[in-house]
Amino acid sequence: VFLCLGTTFRRSLFAARSAIPASYETVDLGLSVLVIDACAASGERPRIVLLSAAGADPRARSRYFRARGRLEEHLRSSGLEYAIARPGYVTGPGRDDFRPLERAGAVVTDGVLLWLAVLGMQMLRERYRSIGAPELAKALVSHAFDPRSAGRILPGERLRDFP
């Protein structure tokens, strides 16, 4: 089961005005927990491939990273087989929403990471640099069927090392 649910910052800002809230708590965490719990109750025991985020931590200051961290904890405690992907920024074609700040953030972050790699911090660059949506999708499918990925957190560099 590929679990790639999530909302955007823009939608979360306007959640209070909406009849259907789109906060990180209700979408990224709440709806995802419903899917995990349904899978656990199904008796089928599928592997969950969760698209999380670099920086996910239940104690994070950011609501987004905190929701992602809590979701990862819930998945790990579910008893289901899983693989958790933690990319940096996801970029490129196939994104439904116009996200100018996210795109700018990816460009700036990738530029800083490139300079850090020149200074010898290549692993830092590989872990946090942006990844294109098509490349990420291929990685998720590859790791879904790779027994070595079971029970693992897959940081950015592991999302680029598939056949």
Side-chain angles (χ1 to χ4, degrees), residues 61-89:
R61 286 184 151 173
S62 159
R63 291 180 305 138
Y64 173 73
F65 291 127
R66 190 169 49 249
R68 288 285 165 190
R70 289 178 56 205
L71 176 57
E72 287 183 13
E73 280 185 338
H74 186 78
L75 177 57
R76 285 193 298 271
S77 68
S78 72
L80 295 171
E81 191 173 304
Y82 66 85
I84 298 172
R86 284 186 176 172
Y89 286 101

Side-chain angles (χ1 to χ4, degrees), residues 87-122:
Y89 286 101
V90 180
T91 61
R95 306 298 305 266
D96 292 336
D97 296 325
F98 179 62
R99 303 176 185 196
L101 293 177
E102 185 176 286
R103 289 182 186 176
V107 169
V108 169
T109 300
D110 285 347
V112 169
L113 290 169
L114 180 60
W115 279 106
L116 291 173
V118 168
L119 297 172
M121 296 180 230
Q122 183 66 25

